[in-house]
Amino acid sequence: MATCALSARFSGGMQALSRLLTMMQGKRMPVLNLCVGREAGPESGVMRATILLGCPPEMARRYVALLSALEDVEEVEVADSTVEVVLSSVDGDEWRDLASRSGVEAVECSGTVVASGEPGKVEAWLAALGDRVEDAVRLGPVARPEGGV
Amino acid sequence: MENTAYQIEYQPRTGSEAICEALLDEGVEHLFGYPGGAIMPFYDALPDYPLKHILVRHEQAAAHAADGYARASGRVGVCVATSGPGATNLVTGLATAQMDSVPVVAITGQVGRAAMGKDSFQETNVMGMTLPFTKHSFLVEDPDELYPTVRRAFAIARSGRPGPVLIDIPKDVQAAACESENGYRRLREVDPPVSGPALEAAATLLRKAKRPLILAGHGVTISGAERELMLLAEKTGAPVVTTLLGISAFPEDHPLYLGWPGMHGQASVNRAIDRSDLLFAIGMRFDDRITGDPRRFAPNAKIVHVDVDPSELGKVVKPTVGIAADAKAAMRSVLGYLKEVPDECFRDRAAWREELRRSQEPEKRREDAARGEYGPIRILDAIKAAAGEEVRLVTDVGQHQMWAAQFFKFTRRNSHITSGGLGTMGFALPAAMGVAFAYPGEPVWVVAGDGGFQMNLQELATIRDFGLDIKVAILNNGYLGMVRQWQEFFHNRRYSETPITGPDYETLAASYGLTGKTVRPGDDVEEAVRWAEEQEGCAILDFHIDPEANVYPMIPSGMSVNEMIEEDD
């Protein structure tokens, strides 16, 4: 399936997020994944959403126009590249070598393995770990800052 | 003589006073509303300001009246309601305005900040509720933000593609003192940049086409581009068709005017679109009532689509050239590109126009034959004759709406007001109040069905209170006529729940202190309409018409011109 990731920068907190979600739902955008994060500290009103759409970029143009028209949205663009972030609970230590071989960055943080990389590579890493993955939460795909350029 | 020194003291203002000041600074003269618990501080401040409040009898009517005011005047309409049921009652009106791109600002009271989120009395999440059909909305929790927010709401409502904006204000914020002076940095309202190469390409297509049609929508009226439309049509000799909401953007007595297409548009116009080799569509959105099956719409035509909203381009119909631009700016630009093209280049379009003229003859013959008979066409003719060219016609939704669009010859700009996109029954009477306030002293007629009229007839009290000179023609067929027609065509005449009764409208009018008359087949239609015109203030004519009269032609939903049902079928 052709996919297209959009990166939207917006302010206005929960109301703005509600409006964004309502627009996506109301216009029946083919949303495969949505990831929202803050751009600065907790007091910052600016948020970033990465919206993964199940359509090619040329079909996403209307969705870019619709989202751009929202008052709270400061910028929408097609994301050049995305990164998958996974928080996982993994048995053993083999994940380090597998991550290295898969081209995935992975570190342990308070017992949670945090891995990131190109979505396909992260999926391959998780598949290679197999049953050793007790639990995993995929946060992405997230648009890279500055579009990853 | 003693010199008196005046000292101006800074008087702390309340949030409500800041709202009123912002409204005044936006040039607001009229508000349509209904008070209640959570909006009381605002209503307490209101009498101190030169703002005319029109107390409606239902909040839905406030939204429609603000909508009608905005459509007629081109200014932002304002409606006010309290929290909870007051706010929920606005919803249909806001959705109506959103669908037809009408600038409305709705102010709603909200329960106090401490009570919010606790299922308090008359608390609703009106912002959440209206997200899908407002252009924007605000919940203002800081009184100092009220003035700039109201100003910003107006700017948003009228800029670009207009639409409704909601401002929800907790009661305690309305009552709280503002600490700062009014501060507002005026937003620069700019049109999106107009693409030169695309417009040049559009002009080239228009120059080269053999069978062009200009398809004008509501965007032409919103932009005030009627003159540019006329210039473009006359320069190129391209016949003009309009959408339902585009009616009255081009005078119907102009030789280049053809009619309007779509589900109930003229058959000849639907066929013209089918035959055309270029559709120059401006300020419209290819509504499904226009296109039917979009895959079979205008199969021989290249399409130029101009709309101020870029998300409309390619949404339904893929244009050959799509231009995100204001209608007036775009047409001016195209006219600039065509300026040097000699008029002779467009002469060969005479054959196309003659072909179209001939295609209209059968329906004109049918129309002329029906003119003498008691029925919708004769009633509409009588209204036009009695009320004159200046009349603004506000229609409700249903069969009468289609008859009025088909047969009332609109020659004055922006004189046809109707709910197109949402198709809101009950729209006409309150919207006409807005029109009457926008243009006091000018003739306003409502044409409604007996179903839709009963949805907001409580507004007769408002009309009486303000002495509004609105004349009403009810085309009473004792049915929800359009639904009945669909049942006749597509459900084997099973008239399930479409027969509808109503009051005696003469008596109803009298009970509101107004005048009314019942008109039946055989009665003198013209005399009845003249009688209504002679009445002081509102008069209601209850025309009993053929219960099973149908609107023709009809393209069944999702079909194309090839499946069009015509009167002779």
Side-chain angles (χ1 to χ4, degrees):
Chain A
M1 182 200 295
T3 60
C4 174
L6 305 182
S7 176
R9 187 171 186 271
F10 62 99
S11 54
M14 282 302 295
Q15 291 167 16
L17 182 59
S18 292
R19 202 181 315 282
L20 195 79
L21 293 170
T22 301
M23 175 64 82
M24 291 193 290
Q25 179 263 328
K27 301 299 179 185
R28 304 181 68 83
M29 296 186 195
V31 178
L32 301 176
N33 195 82
L34 173 69
C35 185
V36 181
R38 279 199 316 274
E39 199 170 84
E43 297 300 310
S44 164
V46 182
M47 300 169 96
R48 288 273 188 116
T50 304
I51 306 150
L52 186 67
L53 298 172
C55 66
E58 57 271 22
M59 280 184 66
R61 271 194 300 232
R62 175 167 181 252
Y63 303 134
V64 171
L66 284 165
L67 294 172
S68 300
L70 296 176
E71 283 296 317
D72 303 312
V73 173
E74 293 165 15
E75 185 181 33
V76 183
E77 58 189 4
V78 175
D80 291 336
S81 64
T82 58
V83 59
E84 181 68 80
V85 180
V86 178
L87 309 179
S88 53
S89 172
V90 183
D91 276 347
D93 256 356
E94 204 178 347
W95 58 269
R96 292 180 200 278
D97 286 344
L98 284 170
S100 177
R101 272 183 264 148
S102 303
V104 170
E105 296 292 329
V107 294
E108 186 172 355
C109 180
S110 305
T112 299
V113 176
V114 181
S116 65
E118 291 174 29
K121 290 179 179 174
V122 172
E123 284 303 321
W125 172 71
L126 286 168
L129 284 170
D131 292 344
R132 281 163 288 189
V133 179
E134 290 181 359
D135 197 5
V137 179
R138 292 162 175 80
L139 302 185
V142 187
R144 291 175 188 268
E146 302 299 321
V149 178
Chain B
M1 183 182 286
E2 189 180 332
N3 286 329
T4 307
Y6 291 97
Q7 188 176 3
I8 298 172
E9 288 182 17
Y10 173 64
Q11 296 285 328
R13 297 168 309 129
T14 64
S16 295
E17 290 166 337
I19 299 168
C20 293
E21 287 171 17
L23 293 173
L24 283 176
D25 289 349
E26 284 294 337
V28 172
E29 294 171 2
H30 299 93
L31 314 170
F32 302 89
Y34 202 98
I39 192 75
M40 284 178 69
F42 172 75
Y43 273 93
D44 189 51
L46 193 58
D48 294 335
Y49 293 85
L51 292 161
K52 185 166 187 171
H53 182 268
I54 292 95
L55 176 66
V56 295
R57 297 301 187 271
H58 191 289
E59 291 89 347
Q60 182 189 351
H64 290 324
D67 177 322
Y69 182 91
R71 290 185 204 236
S73 67
R75 299 164 66 189
V76 178
V78 183
C79 55
V80 185
T82 190
S83 65
T88 59
N89 282 343
L90 288 179
V91 165
T92 303
L94 296 180
T96 305
Q98 170 82 350
M99 286 292 274
D100 289 349
S101 307
V102 182
V104 168
V105 167
I107 298 171
T108 50
Q110 182 54 277
V111 298
R113 282 171 291 183
M116 286 175 71
K118 295 174 182 167
D119 304 324
S120 305
F121 177 66
Q122 292 195 332
E123 183 192 5
T124 54
N125 178 4
V126 65
M127 270 199 58
M129 197 166 60
T130 56
L131 279 174
F133 39 79
T134 48
K135 189 175 176 188
H136 194 61
S137 46
F138 297 95
L139 170 65
V140 188
E141 298 187 69
D142 176 354
D144 283 330
E145 287 299 314
L146 278 169
Y147 182 89
T149 300
V150 173
R151 299 294 304 270
R152 192 169 161 221
F154 274 76
I156 293 168
R158 66 176 164 244
S159 63
R161 179 179 185 167
V165 177
L166 179 124
I167 312 171
D168 195 31
I169 311 165
K171 185 175 184 178
D172 60 320
V173 176
Q174 298 165 43
C178 298
E179 291 180 359
S180 63
E181 299 276 354
N182 290 339
Y184 174 66
R185 188 168 56 83
R186 191 171 181 83
L187 292 174
R188 211 157 66 90
E189 294 165 33
V190 292
D191 293 323
V194 178
S195 155
L199 283 160
E200 191 173 3
T204 303
L205 288 171
L206 194 51
R207 180 167 57 81
K208 289 184 173 173
K210 302 286 183 205
R211 299 185 305 279
L213 285 176
I214 298 173
L215 173 51
H218 193 203
V220 172
T221 302
I222 292 170
S223 174
E226 291 90 345
R227 183 172 169 273
E228 284 73 14
L229 176 62
M230 177 81 77
L231 291 172
L232 190 64
E234 291 184 342
K235 171 70 183 174
T236 61
V240 176
V241 301
T242 70
T243 64
L244 179 68
L245 291 187
I247 288 173
S248 78
F250 195 81
E252 295 194 16
D253 55 357
H254 193 284
L256 286 170
Y257 180 74
L258 204 60
W260 55 282
M263 181 177 278
H264 294 294
Q266 289 92 342
S268 58
V269 179
N270 284 320
R271 293 202 178 94
I273 286 180
D274 216 43
R275 288 265 301 130
S276 77
D277 66 353
L278 177 73
L279 205 53
F280 192 95
I282 186 148
M284 55 83 67
R285 60 185 175 86
F286 291 106
D287 180 274
D288 56 280
R289 295 277 153 140
I290 291 274
T291 62
D293 179 355
R295 293 165 303 177
R296 292 189 284 164
F297 177 73
N300 302 303
K302 291 181 174 155
I303 293 175
V304 173
H305 188 189
V306 181
D307 197 274
V308 74
D309 181 351
S311 75
E312 290 297 339
L313 306 177
K315 182 181 81 175
V316 177
V317 170
K318 192 172 181 187
T320 315
V321 177
I323 301 164
D326 168 71
K328 183 186 276 191
M331 283 194 282
R332 280 185 176 173
S333 180
V334 170
L335 280 163
Y337 287 116
L338 295 174
K339 194 175 172 186
E340 304 301 324
V341 179
D343 291 348
E344 293 77 56
C345 290
F346 303 112
R347 287 235 171 99
D348 58 352
R349 289 172 184 174
W352 168 232
R353 290 195 297 271
E354 178 57 20
E355 177 189 329
L356 295 174
R357 192 194 61 74
R358 279 200 308 273
S359 74
Q360 289 183 299
E361 284 173 355
E363 57 202 20
K364 281 196 191 303
R365 275 198 299 273
R366 274 198 296 272
E367 192 177 318
D368 288 343
R371 291 216 122 80
E373 299 169 8
Y374 180 92
I377 299 181
R378 188 167 157 199
I379 293 165
L380 291 161
D381 279 354
I383 293 172
K384 183 74 186 273
E389 298 291 321
E390 296 299 296
V391 67
R392 286 185 162 84
L393 199 73
V394 187
T395 61
D396 216 74
V397 171
Q399 287 181 310
H400 69 277
Q401 180 191 30
M402 298 296 111
W403 285 320
Q406 286 179 347
F407 303 121
F408 197 88
K409 301 299 175 202
F410 295 90
T411 49
R412 183 186 191 183
R413 79 166 289 272
N414 199 18
S415 57
H416 173 245
I417 310 271
T418 198
S419 164
L422 198 68
T424 307
M425 288 173 68
F427 169 83
L429 192 67
M433 299 192 311
V435 176
F437 277 107
Y439 293 102
E442 294 194 14
V444 181
W445 271 80
V446 165
V447 176
D450 48 319
F453 185 74
Q454 292 186 69
M455 286 190 170
N456 267 319
L457 59 72
Q458 77 284 344
E459 295 311 316
L460 291 172
T462 313
I463 288 169
R464 177 206 53 214
D465 284 357
F466 288 91
L468 299 179
D469 189 13
I470 295 170
K471 312 301 182 190
V472 180
I474 301 171
L475 303 194
N476 185 346
N477 54 12
Y479 277 106
L480 300 174
M482 188 60 91
V483 186
R484 184 210 57 76
Q485 179 174 334
W486 280 55
Q487 289 172 332
E488 178 186 333
F489 287 7
F490 309 120
H491 296 275
N492 203 25
R493 300 177 81 101
R494 278 164 64 89
Y495 293 161
S496 173
E497 299 301 323
T498 44
I500 188 170
T501 61
D504 177 325
Y505 292 100
E506 275 188 46
T507 310
L508 180 81
S511 73
Y512 278 105
L514 307 171
T515 51
K517 185 176 261 201
T518 307
V519 191
R520 296 186 174 83
D523 290 349
D524 189 330
V525 171
E526 292 74 16
E527 188 190 321
V529 172
R530 279 195 300 273
W531 172 87
E533 278 287 317
E534 287 162 5
Q535 301 305 301
E536 194 172 326
C538 178
I540 299 171
L541 294 175
D542 176 19
F543 290 101
H544 289 208
I545 63 166
D546 176 2
E548 296 194 81
N550 286 327
V551 178
Y552 291 104
M554 180 175 191
I555 299 178
S557 185
M559 301 292 189
S560 80
V561 66
N562 298 322
E563 290 91 22
M564 183 162 54
I565 301 167
E566 295 187 72
E567 195 160 7
D568 293 334
D569 288 352

